[in-house]
Amino acid sequence: MRAVFLAAACVCILCVAAICLFLLVNGLPAFGKIGPLKFLSGSVWRPGSGAYGIAPMILGSLYVTAGAIALGAPLGVLTGVYLARFCPRRARAAGRAAVNLLAGVPSVVYGFFGLVVLVPAASAVFGGSGKSMLTASVLLGLMILPTVISVTETSVRAVPEACYEGALALGATHERAVFFAVLPAARPGVTAGIALGVGRAIGEATAVVMVAGNQPVIPSGPLRGLRTLTANIVLEMGYAADLHRGALAATAVTLFVFTLAVNVLLALGRGKRPA
Amino acid sequence: MGKIDIENLNLYYGEFHALRGVSLSAPERGITALIGPSGCGKSSLLKTVNRLNDLSEGCRVEGRVLLDGEDVYGGGMDIYTLRRRVGMVFQKPNPFPMSIYDNVAFGPRSHGVRARSVLDGIVEESLRRAVIWDEVKDRLAGSALRLSGGQQQRLCIARALAVRPETLLMDEPTSALDPISTAKIEELASELKKAYTIIIVTHNMQQAARVSDRTAFFLLGEVVELGDTSRIFTAPRDKRTEDYITGRFG
Ligand SMILES: Nc1ncnc2c1ncn2[C@@H]1O[C@H](COP(=O)(O)OP(=O)(O)O)[C@@H](O)[C@H]1O
Ligand SMILES: [Mg+2]
């Protein structure tokens, strides 16, 4: 039996190793040929004329992720706290079911929702095509909600009741006890939830492609279209060849490094919680 | 009349009758000890005084709990004011996961104190009263969770004192602590009784004998015997009290 578990574990590890290996084998040569600095900081992406700068896409990914967190994290944390400590028991079950449903909706469905609801709405309010950094941020903000909500709820409920009672015993109101005693105690978990949201937002491709406009230029404002690292790969991989293909693989390497960084930060944050 | 007067109190958790006709009076500037085996309702009694029992589902209270003659369950008393006037120290130290300063300032801030200079004064005064100032004055910004168990409990006492209560409820405050920390808390309680009315629950007979002025012995939700501590421990009138304090059961 032990051997079965071992084999299963080995297969998993091998898969991860294989992914890393093929990513690097395919992507690293392009780094060399284009020049790492030129590749990462170049602001022009025009594969037809040999210009492979992915700075617009790096910034695009960072912008929409930051936007998604700015919108989704407060909303998600407040909702999670509400489910854990404010809502009536029966409503809690319904709320949780809704959150789980939201978590199971495929990206392409979110993208479709963005395309038929958010894009026209943005166009009506702000003018233009409606496909923009703002629209993509709102959509990604929605997509990370289930993660942030459920992780927040779980961590808030895991805080010992003594913390809450201690605050009440000092004459604090329910609201103050929850937000200023219980929530700080749940902070490591809440932070982890937000970090998971960052991971999801930066790695999302399908939905973003449908609402971001995808122009490979550094966006000059939140109402401009942009292209993320993921979108760059999805849009062009189908027909790219030679150095173009290599540059896309190198884009994937860059994305991989970003997600890795998120994970490392998450692990570090977990390591030094106040204890 | 005492500072706290409990008159014919019955407490139910759903169908369960946890306190039966309890009458008890805690004299001002004195320590009243509640002793008795686990599950006899001592914590439940403390939690009726600051109405923390309101949180327990199905909990119902009959009878009166008077603070300075005013019924805490009567409509006239605001629950936040009540809890400010009646501080509580829990069995297991429960500092908040934040700095020492913020722990002590939590209560005053809850009651609207914002000015930094005022808070600074309250924090120092409370920590001094809880005899922990010298140990923490150089690390007020450090996390309270890094203190030892005994220090955490004294911090919790300081935190309770910071809202300037009139009485302190202490629910087995030393049961999680080592003997030296226990001695410090006992000394502190004896000092604090000069200014506060204290009710302390304890499992430790010597502790009750050492620190308290009055002792109430509980069994199965009833007060079996109530009287001056010296009398209870030297000449108990009820056989069950005698058995308990001599360690024959409990
Ligand atoms: N929230 C509650 N719901 C139901 N029963 C409770 C609750 N709290 C305490 N009890 C019961 O009431 C009795 C007295 O408990 P407690 O006041 O904690 O006793 P003590 O502090 O003397 O050990 C016990 O039988 C306990 O199981
Ligand atoms: Mg108890």
Side-chain angles (χ1 to χ4, degrees), chain A residues 162 168-170 176 180 185 275, chain B residues 83 94 97-98 106 110-111 146:
Chain A
L168 282 198
L170 292 167
R176 187 167 156 81
F180 295 95
Chain B
R83 289 175 181 158
N94 60 346
M98 52 184 77
F106 189 95
S110 300
H111 295 280
R146 274 195 288 272

Side-chain angles (χ1 to χ4, degrees), chain B residues 13 16 18 36-45 56-57 171-172 201:
Chain B
Y13 291 114
F16 180 65
S38 284
C40 66
K42 306 178 299 290
S43 298
S44 300
L45 183 65
S56 309
E57 210 156 315
D171 194 350
E172 302 187 38
V201 170

